[in-house]
Amino acid sequence: MIFRKFDSAFFAFSFLILILISGTVQSNADVRVIGGKDADKEKYPFIAHLSTPEYSSEPFCGATYIGGKKVLTAAHCVVAADYDDTFLEVLMITIGDYDVTKKETEKQFSVERIVIHPGYDSQTLANDIAIIFLEKEPVGIDEASLPKMNMKNVFNSKTVLTVAGWGVTDEGNVSDILQEVDVNFVSDKLCRTSYEDYLMTGKTICAGDIIWGGIDACQGDSGGPLFYTDLDGTLVQTGIVSWGIGCALAEYPGVYANTGAHLSFIESPDKFLDGQITFVSDDTKSPNVPLGLVKYPITLQNTSDSVANVTSLYIDDGQLLTNPCKQALEPNQSCTIDTTLQVKTGRTIYEATAYTETASAPSYLPIDITGIGKDNVDNEDFASLKLPSVIVPLGKNPWSISDGQMKAVPSAGDGYSMTMLDKFPKGTLSFTAKNNTAFAGLFIYVNQKEVISYFTGEKNINLKLDQESNFVEFYYEGLPANENFGETVAVRDMKFKAGNIGLLSFVILIFFAYNRKIRNL
């Protein structure tokens, strides 16, 4: 994933490490307006750029003045503000610039504060939008027009959009003069075909040329505007330059934050800071799940000082659950909501949004899952494990199975190997795991929950499987195959014991045992 943010001397500042940690790192691919031309000098009086003149005069992101003290940009451009207060002290916003090498009619402003969308996620780039509040309100500067609604459902393949910025150009250098290029709207369906492993929702817009390529935003254009032209000739900002894979590639159109889907946040960003509830996330949870319908519990917690009534939970696969917690949540109280996701092969990212009765700010949760398909292991080899016949082997770069044991087979690329055993009934799975490698770890998950973390050595392990249907994941992480000197991890002596005979069965057994005793008297 390429953040369309320019790598200048700005990164020499002390918050470089913070930006790297937060994930706002780009690759060496181009990031600019590709295939564009010099913009008309008077066309974009509201366009802006971000820089840190104390360290570099070059802009590192674009932005747009939208009225009052507010400037609109991408969250990943300013996420350093969450980690380092000095970022605000050196950040400068320039509005109305055209040639960055000349001092003309542009105006510069210091920053008072920044509000990043509370649903921004540095891994998925969900809700990649932020509002910068200037210390002083600009005078005599036109503001950009915003849509009245989410225009994505109005656009079609013939819709022409325009992106503008000072990013890298066809020559491979950043442009001193503001560039613009027309790009074609790309539907969600086509965009998901390109970006099957990334988040595509109603809150994003894709644009580019999916036949020939050659036109796009790129590095240095992040945070800048994507416009459509209204019937009266007015430029209306429908998007914010966010990310893409490479630049101007036909198979990978540019991805933009959809301003029409964020109008409430743009109008009143401070209200989005007043949320009552948060999602309780588990960083140890595995994203890997079997294909088909999968149970996915979601936990919400009331983090406010007052009672919170969760009115609805929406997942952008179409699920809408009303009154999901069944009762109001007292301060610090939480509830777990059982949802079901339809999982397809490969990685899918959904977004869950929870709303409360009194707070204006919803809460957001990215759901990152990867559907794992069936492993084509030889039936005879799999039978050597002596597991119940209902068990199904799944895998992504799977372990080898033979002679009653499983062995991790690290990939040549990143050194991982994963096998999943699906459809275990209730009971206990026991086995011996051996990991004598110097640079690898074994992780084991039951129904996505981590039960063994970075295990090394040799150990007898018992796993309790307490659902009607369970899946167990064995994940090896180590050196790539061409560097691991033949070292690997093995699991052997697997045994499954059915458990939890249930209350009714227990009563029946007691009844027959009692009758047998009576007959023997």
Side-chain angles (χ1 to χ4, degrees):
M1 183 187 297
I2 309 300
F3 295 84
R4 305 200 157 181
K5 177 177 180 180
F6 179 60
D7 186 4
S8 71
F10 160 75
F11 290 107
F13 188 54
S14 62
F15 48 76
L16 164 63
I17 301 301
L18 299 170
I19 292 177
L20 294 177
I21 292 172
S22 67
T24 57
V25 182
Q26 67 206 20
S27 77
N28 55 6
D30 293 334
V31 180
R32 56 173 171 183
V33 168
I34 304 288
K37 63 181 181 178
D38 292 354
D40 293 338
K41 195 170 185 178
E42 309 298 328
K43 188 175 181 179
Y44 303 102
F46 33 70
I47 201 164
H49 60 68
L50 283 58
S51 64
T52 53
E54 189 173 338
Y55 301 94
S56 172
S57 60
E58 293 178 331
F60 64 86
C61 269
T64 316
Y65 174 61
I66 57 173
K69 290 185 176 183
K70 294 191 294 187
V71 170
L72 183 63
T73 191
H76 78 261
C77 288
V78 293
V79 72
D82 276 353
Y83 304 99
D84 193 335
D85 291 338
T86 59
F87 178 67
L88 296 181
E89 297 174 7
V90 298
L91 181 61
M92 188 67 65
I93 311 300
T94 303
I95 304 176
D97 205 356
Y98 180 73
D99 185 339
V100 297
T101 66
K102 297 179 181 180
K103 297 292 183 183
E104 298 180 309
T105 59
E106 71 274 9
K107 296 182 180 180
Q108 289 191 324
F109 300 87
S110 297
V111 175
E112 178 184 278
R113 60 193 179 93
I114 297 173
V115 179
I116 296 174
H117 194 289
Y120 169 67
D121 183 87
S122 62
Q123 300 301 312
T124 66
L125 270 290
N127 304 298
D128 190 13
I129 181 172
I131 300 293
I132 300 172
F133 285 88
L134 306 176
E135 283 194 343
K136 295 182 179 180
E137 183 172 336
V139 177
I141 297 179
D142 293 338
E143 61 189 66
S145 296
L146 295 169
K148 305 294 184 185
M149 57 181 285
N150 186 346
M151 295 297 295
K152 189 156 71 169
N153 296 328
V154 178
F155 296 155
N156 57 50
S157 60
K158 296 181 180 180
T159 301
V160 177
L161 307 171
T162 303
V163 61
W166 289 270
V168 181
T169 62
D170 295 344
E171 289 73 31
N173 301 308
V174 292
S175 176
D176 293 330
I177 296 175
L178 180 64
Q179 301 289 294
E180 67 174 3
V181 66
D182 289 342
V183 290
N184 302 314
F185 171 75
V186 177
S187 69
D188 278 358
K189 183 177 181 179
L190 288 175
C191 205
R192 285 193 180 100
T193 300
S194 299
Y195 292 112
E196 58 182 14
D197 283 354
Y198 297 98
L199 178 66
M200 294 291 145
T201 70
K203 297 181 180 180
T204 57
I205 283 181
C206 296
D209 186 330
I210 60 174
I211 298 177
W212 302 106
I215 52 175
D216 198 2
C218 208
Q219 284 165 335
D221 294 319
S222 272
L226 176 72
F227 298 102
Y228 72 88
T229 304
D230 212 344
L231 294 177
D232 62 1
T234 301
L235 289 171
V236 181
Q237 184 174 354
T238 192
I240 302 167
V241 180
S242 183
W243 61 275
I245 291 181
C247 293
L249 302 176
E251 61 269 35
Y252 294 115
V255 183
Y256 303 77
N258 182 356
T259 57
H262 289 288
L263 293 176
S264 296
F265 173 76
I266 294 171
E267 180 180 353
S268 305
D270 287 333
K271 288 184 178 180
F272 278 68
L273 303 179
D274 298 330
Q276 283 186 291
I277 55 175
T278 59
F279 286 95
V280 180
S281 58
D282 182 1
D283 294 336
T284 67
K285 193 173 187 176
S286 171
N288 300 316
V289 294
L291 303 182
L293 290 175
V294 174
K295 293 181 179 179
Y296 195 94
I298 293 176
T299 300
L300 288 168
Q301 183 177 23
N302 180 3
T303 52
S304 71
D305 296 328
S306 58
V307 175
N309 185 19
V310 183
T311 56
S312 61
L313 174 70
Y314 174 71
I315 302 176
D316 58 13
D317 67 345
Q319 291 186 66
L320 177 61
L321 306 177
T322 57
N323 190 25
C325 290
K326 308 301 182 186
Q327 62 181 11
L329 300 179
E330 299 292 333
N332 297 319
Q333 187 180 5
S334 62
C335 75
T336 298
I337 305 159
D338 291 325
T339 68
T340 302
L341 300 177
Q342 180 66 51
V343 180
K344 299 174 290 185
T345 301
R347 186 183 182 202
T348 304
I349 301 175
Y350 298 110
E351 184 178 61
T353 308
Y355 300 86
T356 58
E357 190 173 49
T358 56
S360 56
S363 296
Y364 304 89
L365 173 73
I367 300 174
D368 190 343
I369 56 175
T370 299
I372 305 300
K374 188 174 181 179
D375 178 15
N376 294 320
V377 62
D378 181 82
N379 290 337
E380 185 175 337
D381 287 336
F382 185 67
S384 71
L385 296 180
K386 298 181 179 179
L387 294 173
S389 59
V390 295
I391 307 305
V392 178
L394 312 174
K396 185 177 181 182
N397 191 34
W399 294 32
S400 66
I401 301 176
S402 64
D403 299 327
Q405 71 172 357
M406 304 195 310
K407 271 190 177 181
V409 183
S411 67
D414 52 20
Y416 85 91
S417 181
M418 190 276 286
T419 277
M420 182 183 293
L421 301 179
D422 189 23
K423 300 192 183 304
F424 276 103
K426 283 184 179 181
T428 302
L429 177 65
S430 60
F431 51 87
T432 299
K434 184 177 182 180
N435 177 18
N436 291 330
T437 64
F439 304 102
L442 170 63
F443 299 80
I444 300 176
Y445 303 85
V446 175
N447 302 323
Q448 292 190 272
K449 183 179 180 181
E450 185 178 87
V451 293
I452 301 292
S453 175
Y454 215 83
F455 164 77
T456 59
E458 183 170 350
K459 186 177 182 180
N460 295 323
I461 297 173
N462 296 297
L463 302 180
K464 183 179 180 181
L465 312 179
D466 55 10
Q467 296 186 15
E468 296 299 328
S469 180
N470 303 269
F471 54 94
V472 180
E473 175 187 345
F474 298 86
Y475 187 92
Y476 167 92
E477 186 176 83
L479 293 175
N482 55 345
E483 299 178 18
N484 72 352
F485 312 107
E487 296 179 333
T488 189
V489 173
V491 170
R492 67 176 189 275
D493 300 329
M494 301 187 78
K495 296 177 183 178
F496 175 74
K497 181 180 179 181
N500 293 340
I501 60 175
L503 179 60
L504 179 59
S505 299
F506 179 77
V507 170
I508 293 174
L509 286 175
I510 293 296
F511 174 79
F512 280 110
Y514 178 78
N515 280 347
R516 182 176 179 182
K517 181 179 179 180
I518 293 296
R519 287 196 299 269
N520 291 336
L521 288 178

